[in-house]
Amino acid sequence: MRLAGRPALWSDGPVSQGTAAAYDSLAAGPAGLHWVESVPDAGRSVVATWSLSGGTVLGALPVGSRVHAYGGGAYAVAGADVWVVREPDGQVWHAGSGRRLTASPYPHGGLSSGDGLLLGVRETATHDQLVAVDPAGAGETVLTESPFLGAACLDGGRLAWTRWADGVMPWDASEVWTAAYGRDGLRDAVRVAGGPDESAVQPRWGPDGCLYFLSDRTGWWNLYRHRAGRAEPVAPMAAENAAAPWELDYANYTFLPGGRFAITAQSGPEHRLVLVEADGAQRLAGLPYTHLKPYLATVGDRVAVIGGSPVRAPEIALVATDGTGRVEVIRSHERPAGHLAVPEVIRVGSGADQVTALYYPPPGAGPAPLIVRPHPGPTHHSAYRLDEDVQFFTGHGFAVADVDYRGSTGYGRAFRKALDGRWGIADVADCRAVARHLLDTGRARPGAVFVSGASAGGYTALRAVGEPGPFAMATARSAIVDPAGWRRTAPRFQRPHAAVLAHPDAAVRASRFTAPALLVHGTDDPVAPVADVTALAAALAGRGLLQGLLELPGTGHYLTGPAARAAALAELAAYRSVLARAAR
């Protein structure tokens, strides 16, 4: 049965095949705007183009990048041409003619265009290569190599790119380099920012000829300008102007006419759009969004964004920068009808140990069953936007608390680094603190508090039931179970992540469980091996603490469409079973 007034995002009945599209990789070109749009019914993603005269056209070629496992930069625009990284071969193709430009055994990503060339990152089994691809189809040339590389930009014979070493993640230690580029390759390469204790990302040549980049040298990712041999801050603020660089094509700032800028700013879970005037003055652009994806683009004097909020599904919009506050939506989903749970931002504790959560109450009053959710990543944050899972569970009478535990982004470098060597300890303590706060304030029902997470959040959930209370059950989707083993099985990009987070006692051990667990996992997961989960399931079953094991054939690390719906329905059934047992 459906609860009255609940949006029909999910149902208790047969699993539906439909789901909303997703928008990513927004960029401007001569024809208008471009982005990567998922086509759920077709099971693929394509490049979409919106012209200034109106109308959106979806491309025909399936696109996507597998570089660093998380991809990004799957297309580039050069004049009237669109070049894409085609799935599943990972090669560069001309979208219009279907002509292939590369024939490498290695996948490509991080495409960009400049000076009549295409640039891209090519990942081998051991390192990355920055390549120049001839649009005429004459092959590709390796420009430079490094353990890891970010997307490059080329303008007027000047090249800029990001690189980082083996054993580190780019949000911990990365560098911006520049060089002159000509027929004889790169000359006079020099590092202009970054180092062992600094993350420098997203280099771009500005209209004024200067190099711009984002650096966390002050403890916050802020925008800098490099000129006359030195870097100077452009818009200092106690907020994060960059997203942790999981993908290769993030664009958290964009240039506006008249020497102005637009920059995303994240403070805790909330994102804002900051407009920086030519004299350095900062002002907020009034937006109906609490979440902005890390893709900004300039269209005339307006800023294109992908924005969302707890009551608005992600949409693509053009934001005026003239102070009028006008927002023109050019691509969106149908807005959900009925009651939507809107979160309250709560903070527990104080000082460096303060933890922030988004608390979603269900309809009605009084203490409710509570689901505490540590986000995946773990170097990420809770999304302050419409979440189908949240609405599904609040619609069924559960409260939900999304926790930005220590290690989350949006709170500065020190908070982001606070999980190093303490994974499964500090994050668990923060989830427990939020649960106890909601119990103490009468918003959670005693004995009916659950913990649920996916990927790294699934690991946190499993660790959270490794000691008594307050959690009555854990749900783990696509969970990492053995951090030590994960250092060997994780994608090459993420192995240093596993190493810096882990500690000698980091493994999930069935012998420590004090509450049951539901395990949900895809059989084709390339990030977290399913064998680890099935072994844990067997051990839990032997102790009578396996609430269930849902294996999803042919499903990878990310649960979407029917797999996501099956997982949500299994999770709801598991909670109801635990609550029914407690009521006997």
Side-chain angles (χ1 to χ4, degrees):
M1 297 291 292
R2 292 180 181 170
L3 298 184
R6 182 171 66 86
L9 297 170
W10 304 98
S11 76
D12 296 326
V15 174
S16 165
Q17 294 297 312
T19 190
Y23 312 127
D24 290 288
S25 301
L26 183 67
L33 279 175
H34 308 270
W35 61 88
V36 172
E37 180 167 330
S38 68
V39 185
D41 291 341
R44 60 189 173 95
S45 295
V46 298
V47 175
T49 300
W50 173 85
S51 67
L52 293 173
S53 59
T56 298
V57 176
L58 298 182
L61 295 181
V63 302
S65 170
R66 291 177 281 115
V67 171
H68 300 166
Y70 296 94
Y75 75 95
V77 180
D81 293 312
V82 178
W83 311 93
V84 302
V85 176
R86 184 171 178 175
E87 278 286 86
D89 63 19
Q91 302 304 300
V92 181
W93 296 67
H94 182 253
S97 65
R99 177 169 49 92
R100 188 173 67 179
L101 273 67
T102 62
S104 166
Y106 306 120
H108 296 70
L111 291 188
S112 64
S113 64
D115 292 0
L117 287 176
L118 291 172
L119 302 175
V121 175
R122 190 171 72 179
E123 183 180 20
T124 76
T126 59
H127 62 282
D128 290 348
Q129 299 172 329
L130 180 62
V131 296
V133 180
D134 181 2
E140 53 188 324
T141 303
V142 176
L143 303 181
T144 187
E145 299 179 309
S146 177
F148 294 97
L149 291 164
C153 54
L154 178 63
D155 181 64
R158 301 173 302 164
L159 186 69
W161 68 97
T162 305
R163 57 172 288 176
W164 60 99
D166 267 327
V168 299
M169 298 305 293
W171 48 76
D172 291 332
S174 53
E175 303 169 343
V176 169
W177 284 69
T178 64
Y181 174 71
R183 292 182 178 275
D184 54 348
L186 302 185
R187 305 185 314 277
D188 305 322
V190 60
R191 178 176 63 86
V192 300
D197 300 309
E198 178 186 355
S199 171
V201 295
Q202 296 187 34
R204 286 183 180 80
W205 299 105
D208 56 2
C210 296
L211 179 70
Y212 291 79
F213 60 91
L214 294 162
S215 166
D216 69 351
R217 60 183 60 182
T218 66
W220 298 96
W221 271 309
N222 282 177
L223 183 63
Y224 289 82
R225 176 193 297 114
H226 187 267
R227 62 181 175 185
R230 61 184 297 270
E232 57 189 24
V234 173
M237 64 182 78
E240 297 284 36
N241 298 138
W246 287 94
E247 300 180 23
L248 291 172
D249 59 352
Y250 290 165
N252 284 94
Y253 66 97
T254 189
F255 304 104
L256 295 170
R260 300 181 300 147
F261 306 85
I263 312 173
T264 65
Q266 183 185 359
S267 300
E270 185 173 7
H271 295 78
R272 296 161 292 145
L273 183 66
V274 177
L275 303 176
V276 183
E277 304 298 334
D279 62 1
Q282 302 176 22
R283 61 183 176 89
L284 292 179
L287 294 178
Y289 310 123
T290 52
H291 183 273
L292 296 171
K293 283 195 171 184
Y295 307 106
L296 300 184
T298 299
V299 178
D301 62 352
R302 294 186 290 176
V303 180
V305 304
I306 304 174
S309 80
V311 296
R312 296 172 76 119
E315 57 193 28
I316 301 175
L318 295 175
V319 179
T321 64
D322 58 3
T324 62
R326 290 194 301 268
V327 175
E328 178 189 355
V329 177
I330 64 172
R331 189 74 166 170
S332 65
H333 305 302
E334 181 180 349
R335 296 188 182 183
H339 173 81
L340 292 174
V342 177
E344 171 192 350
V345 179
I346 62 173
R347 293 180 173 86
V348 180
S350 60
D353 293 333
Q354 186 180 75
V355 58
T356 303
L358 296 173
Y359 170 72
Y360 294 83
L370 170 68
I371 305 168
V372 174
R373 304 199 312 173
H375 58 73
T379 307
H380 198 50
H381 59 271
S382 301
Y384 198 170
R385 67 183 181 200
L386 185 65
D387 184 308
E388 289 184 345
D389 266 3
V390 168
Q391 302 304 326
F392 172 69
F393 286 110
T394 56
H396 281 288
F398 290 79
V400 176
D402 285 348
V403 182
D404 275 354
Y405 49 83
R406 279 169 286 183
S408 300
T409 54
Y411 302 85
R413 182 181 177 94
F415 193 87
R416 192 169 73 241
K417 297 285 288 176
L419 196 62
D420 291 1
R422 304 177 67 198
W423 193 25
I425 300 173
D427 48 333
V428 169
D430 292 344
C431 289
R432 288 177 175 275
V434 170
R436 290 193 181 100
H437 171 79
L438 292 171
L439 283 165
D440 292 344
T441 55
R443 286 181 278 186
R445 183 192 305 172
V449 178
F450 307 100
V451 58
S452 174
S455 190
Y459 168 78
T460 300
L462 295 174
R463 290 277 298 192
V465 292
E467 55 188 90
F471 300 114
M473 195 197 92
T475 297
R477 306 184 189 186
S478 308
I480 295 157
V481 172
D482 179 11
W486 192 49
R487 293 171 63 175
R488 299 184 297 274
T489 60
R492 185 179 71 92
F493 164 78
Q494 209 167 0
R495 290 171 197 164
H497 200 204
V500 74
L501 292 169
H503 50 87
D505 192 31
V508 172
R509 304 183 193 280
S511 60
R512 294 181 177 176
F513 276 50
T514 62
L518 169 67
L519 306 175
V520 180
H521 216 89
T523 60
D524 295 353
D525 190 334
V527 176
V530 68
D532 290 349
V533 172
T534 54
L536 176 64
L540 289 174
R543 297 192 59 220
L545 290 175
L546 179 65
Q547 185 66 33
L549 170 63
L550 175 61
E551 292 186 81
L552 300 167
T555 300
H557 192 61
Y558 300 102
L559 307 186
T560 59
R565 283 184 284 279
L569 293 171
E571 188 171 344
L572 176 63
Y575 295 149
R576 285 174 166 170
S577 176
V578 171
L579 292 174
R581 287 200 302 267
R584 292 192 192 111

